[in-house]
Structures are given as structure tokens and as C-alpha cells.
């Protein structure tokens, strides 16, 4: 190889090191599971997407208790709560000076209520983190569809992120827009939006289809791809209609240019907002466990929606299910197996990037090593179910890796039935 070419190659490698998580992204990944709370006028109307024309008085929780949300989330093992501070209908759960469609215009608590204040205080009290979803698509704001809306939305962001609610661990930029062919078109100023959040809350993880800090997993069922790279190449894409295909979001891009790990969002009920009629359809513990293996167990963070009801409380049935889900996880992962196992947990030290592209797991059974599993990516955590093995010796063979593989702790567990 010519000297010049070699130098160019070395320079290229030095200038393009593999993407690595920031400290905030690492901490976020370690949270593993957060609780999503869809709450707003839709809770009272039964709609999933409000029109934006709902009377402010529709929002009228009879017994709001954000401490109960936080206590429930904490007991269920969630690291934080993320609330729909503003859904597509535009109604703001805090007195947003930018809007005339907020709690301040409602008769709830004589217009003096502030759900974000109560929830952020409760999260602090219970030692969990607080995050917000503020929908860019707004069916109420008359400025939507004009450049003025971008400025208004940025000021809306400021009114939540300026510190009055303390630290915010995650901000959700939902990409949905259902305006349809003849509807309003908004050219979003994404760099203004992300710049505003970054300036005011430098450690907040910003979610959208394409990051900048974490990405949508490509479905609303709570499952990441079996191959799941925490890297993505977002260049040329935007959230919403301009997003990469769902299967790309589901698996990430091998050699992606940026560290944008997957977040898997799913609701414990069929819908995102509470509806009495859906109480019999709360997901079973088996379904939740399958989602857990398909998200946290595939290198994603799980965002499980548990919607408060018209009282403003997490319903008893959902809360009981969460405790059962926690008990099942504890019974499996509370103690490592010593002589018999059916779950293997692999980890990569992702602080140096994600490297493993193919691996196999062997167990030492009756005097010899036998292959019991194989797969592609590992990432922060990879859970693999295997037929029950009588052994306490396991080895991991890295078959393909981009750079030197750096595995974390490998553990084995036993799940009954
Ligand atoms: C979607 C929204 O349109 C749904 O209403 C819900 O909020 C879900 C989490 O994101 O894009």
C-alpha cells in the first residue's frame, strides 16, 4: 500500500471512530424501563386523537394523585415517568403562556392546577425521573401550518424545560401527523426545537423517529429486532413522514454514523388513553414478559404506557398487573442459577461502542462443550431463552465483531415453566 493511501486510511479511522453513547445516553440505557402516561382530554372523551376543539372543562380529574403514579412506577421497577404534557389535541397539562387551551382555561382547580408540577414533585419525592411528551402536531393552535408556529412551539418547550419542573430526563418528539392530503402542512424547524431542549436541559434524551438521542423502534408493540444496533445513519431523514423504513428503525444500521439507541413503546392496554371498556384487555404477565424479552432483552429501553383514569389515578387493575409483572421478573432475575438454567444474559460494554455482530453460546454438559444458542447483536443487554440445561459452565464465542469485542458480565437464570 502506498504511504499516502495508508495515511489517508489511518486518518479516516482516526476521524471516524465508531459511535459511542454520551454519559446521558448510557445512564438512560441503564434505566431499562420507564412508564409512559397518556393523560389529557382524551381520557375523558374516549378518543385516541382529540380534534383540538374540546372544551377545556372536559379535562376534570376528580381525584388527581400523582404521588400514587410515582409510587406505583417505583414499586413496579420503572426508572422514570414520561407524561403526554401536550398530545395532538393541543391541550396543555400545565399553564403554558403560549396557548389558550390549557389547564389554566379549565375550571379544574379553578384554573390553578398544574399536572406537570404535581408529577415532577412526586417523581422527585419517590426518587424516579420525570420526562415529557410535547406533540409537535397541534390541532388546536391556529398558527399550526405557518412559520409562527415553530417559534410558538419553541417557546412552549422553554416553558417546560427552563428548570421550573427540575431536571427532565427525556423529551418525546412524536412524529405523527394526521392532517391528510388537504390538511395543514407544517415545515418543522427541528434544529430550533432540539437546540432549545439541549440548551435548557443538556442531559435530556431527545426521542424521535431519528433521534438525536434515541429512536423509535419502528412499531408500537414493544419489540426491537433480534438484530438491534444502537447506531443509525439519520442523514437525510426527518421524524414522521420523512423517517427511515420501520424495519431500519427496528434493527438500526450496522456501521450507523450516530449512537441513537432504540426505545420500544407499547401500551399495557389496547389504546394509549384510558377507557373503561379496555380494562378486561389489560396485557397478561406472560405478554408483558414476552415484551420485556423483546425490548430490554434485545438492547432497547422499554417505555410501557399505563394510562391514568378519569379520577387521575393509575387504575387498580393495571397497578396489580404491574406488581405481578415485577414479581415475575424478580423471581427469575433475582438470583443467578447455579446448576440448571434456561435463560442466558449477555452484555457488551457499550461505553466503547457496540461491536459484536455474531456470537454463539456453549454450555459444558457431560464433559463437553455444546452449542446452546447463537445470535447476532448483543449491545447493552441480550436475553436468550434456551431449553433447560444442566450445567453451571457457559462460554460465549464471538464469531464476528467490529473491533475488539468487550463483553460485560454473562449471567444465567432459571425461569419456571
Ligand atoms: C403516536 C401517537 O399518534 C399516539 O397517539 C401515541 O401518543 C403514540 C405513543 O405515538 O405517534
Amino acid at each position: 500500500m502506498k504511504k499516502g493511501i495508508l495515511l489517508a486510511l489511518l486518518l479516516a479511522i482516526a476521524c471516524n471512530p465508531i459511535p459511542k453513547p454520551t454519559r446521558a445516553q448510557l445512564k438512560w440505557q441503564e434505566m431499562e424501563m420507564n412508564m409512559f402516561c397518556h393523560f389529557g382530554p382524551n381520557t375523558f372523551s374516549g378518543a385516541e386523537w382529540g380534534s383540538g376543539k374540546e372544551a377545556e372543562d372536559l379535562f376534570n380529574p376528580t381525584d388527581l394523585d400523582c404521588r400514587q403514579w410515582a409510587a406505583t412506577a417505583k414499586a413496579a421497577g420503572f426508572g422514570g415517568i414520561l407524561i403526554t404534557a401536550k398530545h395532538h389535541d393541543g391541550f396543555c397539562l400545565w399553564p403554558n403562556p403560549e396557548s389558550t387551551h390549557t389547564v389554566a382555561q379549565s375550571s379544574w382547580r379553578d384554573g390553578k392546577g398544574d399536572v406537570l408540577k404535581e408529577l415532577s414533585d412526586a417523581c422527585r419525592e419517590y426518587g424516579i425521573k420525570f420526562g415529557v411528551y410535547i406533540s409537535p402536531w397541534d390541532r388546536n393552535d391556529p398558527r399550526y401550518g405557518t412559520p409562527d408556529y415553530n417559534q410558538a412551539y419553541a417557546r412552549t418547550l422553554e416553558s417546560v424545560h427552563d428548570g421550573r419542573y427540575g431536571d427532565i430526563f427525556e423529551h418525546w418528539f412524536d412524529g405523527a401527523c394526521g392532517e391528510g392530503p388537504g390538511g395543514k402542512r407544517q415545515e418543522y424547524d427541528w434544529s430550533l426545537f432540539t437546540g432549545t431542549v439541549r440548551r435548557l436541559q443538556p442531559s435530556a434524551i431527545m426521542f424521535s423517529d431519528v433521534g438525536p438521542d434515541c429512536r423509535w423502534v419502528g412499531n408500537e408493540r414493544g419489540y426491537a429486532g433480534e438484530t438491534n444496533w444502537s447506531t443509525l445513519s439519520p442523514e437525510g431523514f426527518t421524524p414522521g413522514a420523512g423517517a427511515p423504513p420501520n424495519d431500519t428503525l427496528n434493527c438500526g444500521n450496522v456501521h450507523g454514523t450516530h449512537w441513537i439507541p432504540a426505545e420500544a413503546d407499547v401500551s399495557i392496554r389496547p389504546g394509549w388513553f384510558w377507557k373503561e371498556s379496555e380494562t378486561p384487555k389489560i396485557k397478561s404477565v406472560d405478554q408483558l414478559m414476552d415484551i420485556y424479552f423483546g425490548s430490554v432483552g434485545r438492547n432497547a429501553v422499554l417505555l410501557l404506557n399505563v394510562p391514568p383514569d378519569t379520577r387521575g389515578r393509575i387504575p387498580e387493575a393495571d397497578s396489580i398487573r404491574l406488581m405481578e409483572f415485577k414479581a415475575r421478573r424478580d423471581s427469575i432475575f433475582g438470583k443467578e442459577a447455579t446448576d440448571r438454567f434456561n435463560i442466558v444474559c449477555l452484555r457488551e460494554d457499550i461505553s466503547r461502542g457496540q461491536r459484536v455482530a455474531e456470537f454463539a453460546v456453549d454450555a459444558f454438559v457431560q464433559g463437553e462443550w455444546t452449542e446452546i444458542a447463537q445470535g447476532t447483536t448483543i449491545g447493552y443487554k441480550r436475553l436468550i431463552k434456551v431449553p433447560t440445561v444442566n450445567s453451571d459452565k457457559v462460554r460465549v464465542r464471538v464469531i464476528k465483531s467490529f473491533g475488539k469485542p468487550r463483553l460485560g458480565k454473562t449471567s444465567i437464570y432459571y425461569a419456571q415453566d
Side-chain angles (χ1 to χ4, degrees):
M1 193 182 292
K2 282 208 181 101
K3 233 179 169 179
I5 299 178
L6 182 68
L7 199 70
L9 207 71
L10 287 175
L11 253 171
I13 294 171
C15 297
N16 294 305
I18 65 165
K20 297 180 187 63
T22 61
R23 246 178 85 82
Q25 284 174 314
L26 254 185
K27 280 176 123 179
W28 173 85
Q29 189 94 42
E30 286 164 4
M31 292 171 80
E32 294 196 359
M33 287 179 37
N34 296 307
M35 188 162 99
F36 212 178
C37 285
H38 275 67
F39 189 52
N42 296 345
T43 310
F44 301 84
S45 67
E48 280 293 328
W49 280 4
S51 66
K53 296 192 173 72
E54 295 81 9
E56 287 81 26
D57 281 354
L58 179 64
F59 181 79
N60 192 16
T62 49
D63 186 20
L64 180 74
D65 186 356
C66 291
R67 296 180 71 242
Q68 185 249 5
W69 308 11
T72 306
K74 176 83 181 180
F78 293 106
I81 297 181
L82 199 142
I83 185 174
T84 51
K86 172 169 91 98
H87 202 252
H88 310 322
D89 54 53
F91 185 80
C92 301
L93 299 185
W94 79 104
N96 177 9
E98 233 1 92
S99 167
T100 52
H101 192 49
T102 80
V103 279
Q105 285 77 38
S106 78
S107 46
W108 175 64
R109 301 219 172 128
D110 296 326
K112 306 225 158 43
D114 183 345
V115 181
L116 300 195
K117 170 92 177 72
E118 291 189 36
L119 184 58
S120 55
D121 285 349
C123 287
R124 203 168 305 116
E125 180 184 340
Y126 282 88
I128 59 173
K129 295 185 180 177
F130 170 68
V132 289
Y133 166 128
I134 301 181
S135 171
W137 181 34
D138 192 312
R139 304 181 89 178
N140 176 269
D141 195 314
R143 294 165 293 190
Y144 190 82
T146 73
D148 282 356
Y149 178 78
N150 284 335
Q151 304 304 322
Y153 183 76
R155 287 192 293 270
T156 289
L157 295 177
E158 283 176 357
S159 79
V160 171
H161 286 285
D162 66 358
R164 77 185 71 185
Y165 302 117
D167 288 343
I168 292 177
F169 85 99
E170 181 169 342
H171 179 95
W172 244 67
F173 288 114
D174 194 315
C177 176
E179 287 288 328
K184 296 179 179 177
R185 281 276 156 269
Q186 179 72 40
E187 280 289 328
Y188 292 120
D189 189 342
W190 287 111
S191 61
L192 172 66
F193 304 164
T194 55
T196 303
V197 175
R198 190 69 95 223
R199 172 168 55 82
L200 297 170
Q201 296 276 345
S203 301
I205 295 300
M206 284 183 261
F207 165 99
S208 86
D209 292 332
V210 289
D213 303 319
C214 73
R215 69 174 197 268
W216 186 45
V217 78
N219 64 67
E220 293 185 333
R221 292 177 292 105
Y223 290 87
E226 280 197 51
T227 297
N228 181 17
W229 292 101
S230 290
T231 46
L232 189 76
S233 299
E235 186 66 33
F237 293 106
T238 56
N246 289 352
D247 56 347
T248 302
L249 296 176
N250 200 234
C251 300
N253 290 127
V254 59
H255 306 309
T257 52
H258 291 69
W259 187 269
I260 307 180
E263 179 174 69
D265 61 319
V266 59
S267 185
I268 196 167
R269 288 162 171 255
W272 292 102
F273 286 88
W274 178 83
K275 287 169 202 64
E276 175 116 66
S277 61
E278 293 188 349
T279 301
K281 297 180 185 152
I282 296 172
K283 289 189 172 56
S284 66
V285 176
D286 284 347
Q287 284 174 303
L288 293 172
M289 284 306 296
D290 202 58
I291 286 170
Y292 180 80
F293 274 87
S295 54
V296 176
R298 289 186 189 163
N299 187 35
V301 167
L302 172 60
L303 183 61
L304 180 63
N305 181 61
V306 187
D309 60 18
T310 49
R311 294 172 303 171
R313 298 175 68 95
I314 305 294
E316 287 73 1
D318 305 62
S319 166
I320 289 169
R321 187 53 43 82
L322 287 178
M323 298 312 134
E324 292 167 344
F325 177 34
K326 170 79 161 62
R328 179 78 70 87
R329 296 194 319 275
D330 286 350
S331 80
I332 298 172
F333 301 110
K335 186 162 112 300
E336 287 185 40
T338 47
D339 55 359
R340 184 160 73 117
F341 64 91
N342 54 15
I343 295 168
V344 181
C345 176
L346 305 179
R347 293 181 182 84
E348 227 178 308
D349 171 11
I350 58 163
S351 65
R352 313 285 285 269
Q354 189 181 355
R355 301 178 178 200
V356 177
E358 200 181 332
F359 67 85
V361 182
D362 303 331
F364 198 67
V365 188
Q366 293 173 347
E368 58 184 65
W369 288 104
T370 312
E371 185 174 299
I372 55 167
Q374 47 178 275
T376 52
T377 54
I378 297 178
Y380 169 72
K381 189 180 256 191
R382 182 67 202 269
L383 294 170
I384 308 154
K385 291 182 188 170
V386 294
T388 302
V389 183
N390 279 293
S391 172
D392 63 351
K393 279 199 192 70
V394 163
R395 74 176 181 196
V396 184
R397 274 182 292 124
V398 174
I399 298 165
K400 188 172 171 192
S401 171
F402 302 114
K404 189 169 169 245
R406 309 184 75 95
L407 296 191
K409 187 177 186 309
T410 296
S411 330
I412 50 175
Y413 302 99
Y414 181 66
Q416 243 144 8
D417 50 63

